[in-house]
Amino acid sequence: MSANANVVKQGSQAGSPHTNVAKQDRQAEAPDLAMSPPVDVVEDPSGITLFADLPGVPKDKLNVRLEMDSLTIEGEVVLDTPEGMESSHVEVRMPRYRRTFSLSNELDKEKVQAEFRNGVLKLRIPKAEHVQPRKIEVKAA
């Protein structure tokens, strides 16, 4: 995040045209708009792991949903402004993240594991047992 995003001004100047423009810009944004978080997907023989970068999203504002074959990651960015101050410049126009993935039938959607630490969501989705490699025992005849 650039240093400009952290610029705040002291006090509340409701009559300031600069602050009113920033507030109007934020209010004019459609509520459905969201940033797409960068996600790394790593596959191994037993499943996939997704790493989603969600800076500024606290755990209580993170929502991970699985509906049918669709995995949705949503998070609301919370940037704390010190009391008595307000932002004079805002670069985060869409304070939300949203990304949806279509999951293959090869994945076991019942065994998804999620971990969230330091703004990074880690989702582990194992492959279903019927597609996992397995060793077949050969008996002597």
Side-chain angles (χ1 to χ4, degrees), residues 17 21 30 34 41-42 64 82-83 85 89 106 108 116 123 131 135:
V21 170
V41 180
V42 179
V64 181
E83 190 175 327
M85 300 181 117
H89 177 78
E106 294 180 359
D108 189 343
F116 189 58
L123 291 170
V131 295
K135 185 173 180 169

Side-chain angles (χ1 to χ4, degrees), residues 22-87:
K23 286 180 183 176
Q24 288 171 0
D25 286 348
R26 281 185 250 138
Q27 290 171 353
E29 295 170 15
D32 290 343
L33 292 178
M35 298 182 286
S36 182
V39 177
D40 294 329
V41 180
V42 179
E43 183 175 3
D44 60 44
S46 63
I48 64 170
T49 305
L50 286 83
F51 297 94
D53 293 332
L54 302 160
V57 175
K59 185 177 179 284
D60 64 330
K61 297 289 185 177
L62 177 64
N63 184 14
V64 181
R65 287 189 325 272
L66 184 60
E67 298 175 32
M68 303 292 284
D69 293 335
S70 182
L71 172 71
T72 302
I73 300 168
E74 293 179 310
E76 185 178 330
V77 177
V78 176
L79 299 174
D80 294 328
T81 303
E83 190 175 327
M85 300 181 117
E86 63 181 54
S87 298

Side-chain angles (χ1 to χ4, degrees), residues 1 9 25 36 42 47 54 56 59 62 73 85 88 94 97 99-101 105 110-111 120 125 135 138-139:
M1 186 182 305
K9 75 177 158 189
D25 286 348
S36 182
V42 179
L54 302 160
K59 185 177 179 284
L62 177 64
I73 300 168
M85 300 181 117
S88 63
M94 296 174 281
Y97 290 103
R99 186 105 180 239
T100 301
F101 297 89
N105 288 333
E110 299 297 319
K111 295 183 180 175
V120 178
I125 309 172
K135 185 173 180 169
V138 178
K139 297 180 182 178

Side-chain angles (χ1 to χ4, degrees), residues 117-137:
R117 185 180 310 152
N118 297 328
V120 178
L121 174 66
K122 176 184 174 183
L123 291 170
R124 177 67 184 161
I125 309 172
K127 289 184 180 176
E129 286 188 34
H130 70 276
V131 295
Q132 294 239 7
R134 60 187 171 105
K135 185 173 180 169
I136 299 173
E137 184 182 336

